[in-house]
Amino acid sequence: MSTLGARAIAIAREVGGITILTGQVLRALLPPRLDGRELVRNLHRMGNRSVPIVALTAFFAGGLMVVQSAPFVNRLGATSLAGWAAGYAVLREIGPILIGLMFSGRVGANNTAELGTMTVTEQLDGLRALAIDPIRYLIVPRVLAMLIMLTALTIIGDLVALVGAAVVARLVLDIDWRTMYASFATNLTPHDFFHGVGKSVAFGASIALSSCYFGVTVKGGAVGVGRAVNAAVVAAAVSIMLLDFFITYATA
């Protein structure tokens, strides 16, 4: 029981710390006075370099949805619904979750490691000694960059996944391109697309804030940085699944 209680207190402390950091970020945005070069640098570093791996994963995720539905499509002869089944799953659930988890593992973990290294080498204390606010100079540009780039990557991944679904449907089920396009256009609505994009915004905020929090609160040198990276990835994954459940439940 004592171990369980200590763990519950630790989780409450971390949730409280992330909430305080969220307040500090929002306060730093009023009025918005950002370091433009730092924001652009983070946008490039976090977004452009993630496009190839996101596109590759999304392509096969879309194809996988078709492969999974192939037995039912063949049994029922419902080729006109193959595009809807793949697109609905990708746009509303698979795309945002899969890309969010990949973004957390690649960008979020790297962000925690960078901030953690700066913390243990006292570079953040150096910024404060120079009267530079680390929240405004380091954290806010990273949070905004993650929000913007995860949303953009989700949109790109959705489009690539639909292409992947059409390609695999043509190769595996011999479904014509025009049939797949008609299935997408007829059965999917803009609401399905924006539902997934809205989730990516929430996932981006949770990844950004948790990765920054564990980075700036790291203790214990290089070993502590490793623990902080692990904690940030786990926290982001848990928050993504919780947010997905509550957003889906609230909008169902």
Side-chain angles (χ1 to χ4, degrees), residues 7-67:
R7 187 57 188 160
I9 292 173
I11 293 174
R13 184 169 58 244
E14 291 168 355
V15 172
I18 293 174
T19 303
I20 292 173
L21 179 63
T22 303
Q24 291 174 330
V25 170
L26 293 176
R27 187 178 62 185
L29 286 170
L30 298 175
R33 288 180 298 176
L34 301 176
D35 186 319
R37 287 182 298 180
E38 184 69 10
L39 177 60
V40 171
R41 188 181 73 84
N42 281 295
L43 286 171
H44 174 75
R45 185 169 57 90
M46 296 176 178
N48 285 13
R49 296 177 184 177
S50 301
V51 170
I53 189 171
V54 166
L56 181 66
T57 305
F59 182 89
F60 285 101
L64 181 62
M65 293 300 102
V66 173
V67 172

Side-chain angles (χ1 to χ4, degrees), residues 176-210:
D176 188 72
W177 305 106
R178 288 171 295 185
T179 303
M180 284 297 288
Y181 175 77
S183 184
F184 291 146
T186 304
N187 299 301
L188 298 177
T189 66
H191 178 71
D192 298 321
F193 172 74
F194 288 113
H195 182 84
V197 172
K199 285 183 177 180
S200 71
V201 175
F203 296 166
S206 68
I207 295 169
L209 292 168
S210 60

Side-chain angles (χ1 to χ4, degrees), residues 81-199:
L81 296 179
W84 167 77
Y88 188 85
V90 166
L91 295 182
R92 297 179 70 97
E93 296 294 338
I94 303 299
I97 291 177
L98 189 61
I99 295 172
L101 292 174
M102 292 182 58
F103 192 81
S104 168
R106 184 186 180 280
V107 176
N110 184 61
N111 184 54
T112 302
E114 281 188 358
L115 290 175
T117 302
M118 295 176 71
T119 301
V120 298
T121 56
E122 300 181 348
Q123 293 181 53
L124 296 186
D125 293 334
L127 288 176
R128 295 188 184 94
L130 295 171
I132 298 175
D133 182 6
I135 298 294
R136 193 181 297 276
Y137 180 70
L138 285 177
I139 305 302
V140 171
R142 291 167 188 252
V143 171
L144 291 179
M146 288 192 200
L147 273 172
I148 294 170
M149 295 317 300
L150 181 55
T151 304
L153 289 171
T154 301
I155 294 172
I156 294 171
D158 285 346
L159 298 176
V160 173
L162 295 182
V163 173
V167 170
V168 174
R170 185 73 175 90
L171 297 176
V172 176
L173 299 176
D174 196 27
I175 299 177
D176 188 72
W177 305 106
R178 288 171 295 185
T179 303
M180 284 297 288
Y181 175 77
S183 184
F184 291 146
T186 304
N187 299 301
L188 298 177
T189 66
H191 178 71
D192 298 321
F193 172 74
F194 288 113
H195 182 84
V197 172
K199 285 183 177 180

